[in-house]
Amino acid sequence: MEKLYLKNGNILYILNILKKYTDEDHILKATSIQEKIKEVYDVDIDTRTIRRNINLLKSKFGYDISTRDENGKGYYIIRNPETDFEPGEIRAIIDNFSYANYIVPSIAKNIIKKCKNLQNIYENKKLANYKIYAKDNKTENMEVIKNIEDISDAIENLNKIKFEYWKYDISDGLKKVIVSKPKVIPYAIVYNKQEFYMIGIKEGQDIFYNYRLDRMKNIKQLAEKRDVVKTSKEIQEFAESTVEMFGGDKEEIEVECGMYLLDTVFEQFGKDIKVVKKDDEKFTLILNANVRGFKFWVLRNLDIVDVIKPKSLRMEIKKIIEDAKKRYE
């Protein structure tokens, strides 16, 4: 019986060898495939069976396999542009999960391993000395990936959710404290500055809030249906106007920025803004955004940003500077 199972697995042995050990620069003859199957799986397959199964993979299963008749050397599998990742795409995915803060190291490591299993051994050799050059600021919340699944499911079902939301507390040593257990209507999940956020509305309210997914625990999808209707346009406008992930009403803001910030401005706020060159050193930025969030962006770039309006924001920034000056005198 065991021999029968081994025989029935011939086509899979051959396919896996082609995927892992062949490409345009690494072509294997039928005898080499035979040897590799023996080495990896300890199974004996004759070369006629190998050729027959390769023809079956091509004709019945649609695999693009170059043969000796085509290349004059042997066999290799050709990457399918519709289903197979390019090496650069795999590397981008690996980099994302290596550096992203929203996922715990053990889960990131497992996802990276899965990505590497999609490549042949030659591409993976290029990653042999892969190193992460960043501080380990990853979350400790194991539920983030599940949170994405649960929230997405609730959005699809138009259901409310309930969860625990934590923040850090240092009143009695560093620890995490549950600060609220809100009931929320989820509308969308957005990604900002290496973090995932949920856009939602608290029960009894009509305004959007942002919740970081890595601070959400024990999400429960409720039977209660969404009772506040928001259009896709309203959700999009909120997401686009949110700065530093602070929600709230939008207001027209005008600032003068150092030319050094030009690229950053478009990356941060998109292209639906007004930018006017003042001189070779400065430009004027006009946009509609949440003032509270924009304040923190200004403070982070205080040496090259000057708030023109609204006046209330300019005065608030001025007071912050004066108070800071007193503390440093």
Side-chain angles (χ1 to χ4, degrees), residues 187-188 190 199 208 230-242 250 272:
Y187 289 91
V190 297
I199 295 176
F208 288 120
K230 294 290 185 180
T231 65
S232 296
K233 183 179 180 181
E234 289 175 304
I235 298 169
Q236 182 176 351
E237 286 180 348
F238 174 80
E240 291 178 349
S241 66
T242 300
K250 293 188 294 184
D272 191 22

Side-chain angles (χ1 to χ4, degrees), residues 168-177:
Y168 284 111
D169 183 87
I170 57 172
S171 57
D172 186 25
L174 179 63
K175 59 183 178 181
K176 298 172 183 176
V177 177

Side-chain angles (χ1 to χ4, degrees), residues 117-220:
N117 285 336
L118 296 174
Q119 298 192 128
N120 62 39
I121 63 167
Y122 311 108
E123 294 298 338
N124 281 332
K125 281 182 179 178
K126 299 175 184 177
L127 298 172
N129 297 318
Y130 182 82
K131 295 184 183 298
I132 301 172
Y133 297 98
K135 292 181 180 178
D136 185 6
N137 295 324
K138 290 184 180 294
T139 180
E140 298 175 1
N141 188 351
M142 298 285 291
E143 299 180 29
V144 174
I145 298 299
K146 186 176 183 298
N147 287 350
I148 294 174
E149 297 172 358
D150 291 343
I151 294 169
S152 298
D153 192 42
I155 292 172
E156 177 69 20
N157 295 330
L158 305 180
N159 288 345
K160 297 180 180 180
I161 61 173
K162 192 170 184 177
F163 55 91
E164 298 173 345
Y165 199 68
W166 67 266
K167 291 186 178 181
Y168 284 111
D169 183 87
I170 57 172
S171 57
D172 186 25
L174 179 63
K175 59 183 178 181
K176 298 172 183 176
V177 177
I178 302 299
V179 294
S180 63
K181 298 180 180 180
K183 185 185 293 185
V184 176
I185 304 171
Y187 289 91
I189 295 173
V190 297
Y191 187 70
N192 184 275
K193 296 184 181 302
Q194 295 192 25
E195 302 288 356
F196 276 109
Y197 294 81
M198 179 190 74
I199 295 176
I201 292 179
K202 292 181 183 178
E203 186 176 45
Q205 299 194 27
D206 190 43
I207 59 174
F208 288 120
Y209 287 86
N210 286 308
Y211 297 89
R212 266 183 45 180
L213 264 63
D214 64 318
R215 291 184 176 174
M216 299 170 66
K217 296 181 68 67
N218 299 319
I219 294 178
K220 291 181 174 60

Side-chain angles (χ1 to χ4, degrees), residues 68 108 163 199 205 239 244 247 256 269 275 278-279 318 323:
R68 184 174 181 177
F163 55 91
I199 295 176
Q205 299 194 27
E244 307 292 330
E256 284 187 1
F269 305 111
V275 173
K278 185 175 182 182
D279 52 43
K318 181 179 179 181
D323 291 343

Side-chain angles (χ1 to χ4, degrees), residues 257 261-270 273 275 283 285 297:
C257 305
L261 274 179
L262 187 61
D263 289 338
T264 302
V265 161
F266 284 111
E267 291 168 0
Q268 174 84 37
F269 305 111
I273 55 177
V275 173
F283 65 89
L285 166 65
W297 184 84

Side-chain angles (χ1 to χ4, degrees), residues 2 14 26 59 64 106-107 110 122 135 150 156 168 185 213 225 254-255 262 309 326 329:
E2 185 177 354
I14 296 165
H26 303 88
S59 62
D64 193 0
S106 60
I107 295 178
N110 190 41
Y122 311 108
K135 292 181 180 178
D150 291 343
E156 177 69 20
Y168 284 111
I185 304 171
L213 264 63
K225 294 295 181 181
E254 180 178 341
V255 294
L262 187 61
K309 66 177 186 180
K326 292 176 183 177
E329 285 178 347

